[in-house]
Amino acid sequence: MQPVLHPINRFCEIYGIGRTKTYEMINAKELETVKVGRKRLITEASARRALLGEAA
C-alpha cells in the first residue's frame, strides 16, 4: 500500500526534484499540502496531478 501523504524530504527522493523546486510548487499551489503539528505533508494525489499529469 502506498502512503497517501509524503514528508517533503521523502517526496523529493521519490520524484527526484529538489527542495527549492518543491517549495516553489507548493507556493504556486501546484502541490496540495496538509499540516500535522509542525510537519508539512504533500498529498500523493496532488503529486501525481502535478508531476505525472494524472487525473485525480
Side-chain angles (χ1 to χ4, degrees):
M1 178 179 228
Q2 281 187 314
V4 177
L5 300 171
H6 300 288
I8 302 289
N9 288 340
R10 182 73 180 126
F11 172 83
C12 293
E13 289 174 16
I14 292 169
Y15 290 100
I17 62 174
R19 289 174 56 88
T20 301
K21 181 63 177 173
T22 300
Y23 281 106
E24 287 173 2
M25 292 176 75
I26 291 169
N27 291 332
K29 306 291 189 229
E30 295 173 23
L31 291 172
E32 296 172 16
T33 63
V34 294
K35 285 190 82 172
V36 178
R38 292 176 46 186
K39 186 177 246 184
R40 184 167 299 276
L41 303 168
I42 299 170
T43 64
E44 177 66 24
S46 73
R48 289 183 175 275
R49 277 194 306 273
L51 299 173
L52 303 178
E54 293 183 9

